[in-house]
């Protein structure tokens, strides 16, 4: 079986972002969350966690936009 490339997997990017954020690598985590959101625009977790990371660095307007995208999605049942 051929394994999917992790870089193209939204869930992988969200989990990577979570790990990086917890490790204090917020900018790199933001990049991972943005990648996840680009791969899977309907990912509640990508937008929510991106908002948290952006808020953490003081990018409040961008954070608000991410939070608004998250709350307009059906819910955290997917990614």
């Amino acid at each position: 079986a051929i394994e999917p490339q992790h870089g193209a997997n939204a869930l992988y990017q969200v989990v990577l972002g979570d790990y990086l954020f917890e490790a204090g690598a917020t900018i790199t985590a933001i990049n991972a969350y943005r990648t996840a959101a680009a791969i899977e625009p309907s990912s509640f977790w990508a937008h929510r966690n991106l908002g948290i990371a952006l808020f953490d660095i003081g990018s409040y307007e961008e954070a608000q936009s991410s939070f608004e995208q998250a709350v307009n999605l059906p819910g955290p049942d997917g990614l």
Side-chain angles (χ1 to χ4, degrees):
I2 298 173
E3 294 291 323
Q5 290 188 354
H6 292 302
N9 183 303
L11 178 57
Y12 174 83
Q13 291 295 322
V14 170
V15 172
L16 176 63
D18 292 346
Y19 173 80
L20 292 165
F21 185 75
E22 289 298 319
T26 306
I27 300 301
T28 309
I30 288 169
N31 291 335
Y33 295 137
R34 284 187 170 141
T35 299
I39 294 168
E40 185 61 54
S42 64
S43 171
F44 169 84
W45 295 110
H47 294 289
R48 174 198 174 267
N49 295 2
L50 176 58
I52 291 169
L54 288 166
F55 189 89
D56 190 65
I57 64 166
S59 294
Y60 303 121
E61 289 182 21
E62 282 185 277
Q64 180 179 349
S65 176
S66 291
F67 289 138
E68 287 172 356
Q69 287 180 285
V71 299
N72 287 320
L73 291 169
D77 295 326
L79 295 176

